[in-house]
Amino acid sequence: MKLTKREENVQLFNRWAKTYDAPLLRFWMKGFHKVALRIIKNKESKVLDISCGSGELLRELAKRKFKKLYGVDIAPKMLDVAGRKLPSFVKFQEADVHALPFPHGMFDYVISTEAFHHYDKQKEALQEMKRVTHKNGYIIVADINFFFHFIHFLFEKLEPGCVKVNSKKQIRRIFDEVGLKIIEQKRTFLFAITTVGVVR
Ligand SMILES: C[S@@+](CC[C@H](N)C(=O)[O-])C[C@H]1O[C@@H](n2cnc3c(N)ncnc32)[C@H](O)[C@@H]1O
């Protein structure tokens, strides 16, 4: 029986969890974490890393003395890896971006790195990210981008769990549709575009 995209993602990332922190991948990941690490300054900020994977971004934030850190992911084995690496004040939960287990307006920063192209319903996912961010809070989406539509098309066909790789313009449109004010959008690494929106 054909797996749903969600099932494909859980299977893929559970399988990958053990080796996800390999040095080459860590180097790749850093390109997606740059903007969040630059923008988030106040150590009192409540930060949610959606699709936190093995917890590398949260590890960097914890190193910088941020204390109110939360991570969610749909792959329990990724969360196991993250939970083992990070101090116990970092709270992890298994959850889907489309149904976050948090009240309205709980966070100052909500981040998704290298994961948006895996989301089944991207507009609804961003809407849900907005719901848990308070007014004037920030949403940071850093995702893959390979310059050309035909490469995106191939990637969508070939990568298990991939739903849609967006161009800069397509991401901007989704931010506009959910009513986020874009304050920054740029290429932060050869294959990464980061978009930052503010909740109005
Ligand atoms: C390529 S990894 C990125 C991990 C991490 N953010 C990083 O920068 O290294 C993509 C992650 O997205 C998660 N994911 C995929 N679909 C998801 C969904 N619907 N809700 C929450 N997380 C999801 C996967 O389980 C995986 O851990």
Side-chain angles (χ1 to χ4, degrees):
M1 204 172 68
K2 198 175 172 336
L3 296 179
T4 63
K5 285 290 174 190
R6 189 185 193 285
E7 288 165 341
E8 274 182 28
N9 278 307
V10 174
Q11 205 175 71
L12 171 71
F13 289 104
N14 270 340
R15 231 189 275 134
W16 201 347
K18 253 197 210 151
T19 54
Y20 196 76
D21 281 344
L24 192 63
L25 258 172
R26 254 191 214 201
F27 170 76
W28 166 271
M29 274 186 251
K30 279 186 193 302
F32 292 82
H33 298 167
K34 276 184 196 159
V35 172
L37 293 173
R38 169 169 57 77
I39 285 187
I40 310 173
K41 291 207 174 74
N42 181 349
K43 308 282 183 214
E44 290 305 308
S45 303
K46 240 183 212 172
V47 181
L48 171 63
D49 185 9
I50 297 175
S51 310
C52 62
S54 65
E56 275 302 292
L57 174 60
L58 291 167
R59 195 175 65 85
E60 277 303 321
L61 289 166
K63 251 176 35 193
R64 291 162 199 226
K65 310 279 181 237
F66 288 88
K67 291 274 180 245
K68 298 173 183 169
L69 301 176
Y70 296 75
V72 298
D73 202 286
I74 49 165
K77 296 225 160 90
M78 281 291 214
L79 291 170
D80 288 346
V81 173
R84 278 199 296 273
K85 278 195 317 208
L86 280 143
S88 60
F89 66 79
V90 184
K91 305 280 179 252
F92 291 105
Q93 230 172 305
E94 192 179 322
D96 192 306
V97 63
H98 302 93
L100 294 168
F102 302 108
H104 286 66
M106 174 163 166
F107 296 98
D108 303 296
Y109 293 91
V110 173
I111 307 160
S112 162
T113 62
E114 235 258 63
F116 202 77
H117 61 287
H118 290 288
Y119 299 161
D120 255 346
K121 298 180 184 144
Q122 296 181 336
K123 184 176 163 192
E124 283 83 342
L126 195 62
Q127 193 83 55
E128 182 64 352
M129 291 167 72
K130 182 183 172 196
R131 182 188 67 75
V132 299
T133 311
H134 73 62
K135 192 159 184 270
N136 299 324
Y138 294 81
I139 292 179
I140 303 170
V141 174
D143 202 18
I144 51 170
N145 181 284
F146 301 108
F147 298 94
F148 302 109
H149 284 297
F150 79 94
I151 300 185
H152 292 173
F153 174 78
L154 284 181
F155 204 83
E156 286 158 14
K157 297 276 164 246
L158 297 176
E159 196 207 24
C162 180
V163 175
K164 172 150 180 45
V165 184
N166 292 289
S167 65
K168 273 170 128 175
K169 198 169 154 192
Q170 286 166 333
I171 279 276
R172 276 207 302 275
R173 190 176 314 132
I174 306 174
F175 269 62
D176 284 346
E177 282 171 3
V178 307
L180 288 167
K181 179 173 188 253
I182 295 175
I183 55 160
E184 182 174 334
Q185 186 182 50
K186 64 162 134 170
R187 194 168 288 280
T188 43
F189 165 64
L190 185 59
F191 300 126
I193 297 285
T194 302
T195 309
V196 184
V198 177
V199 176
R200 293 179 286 199

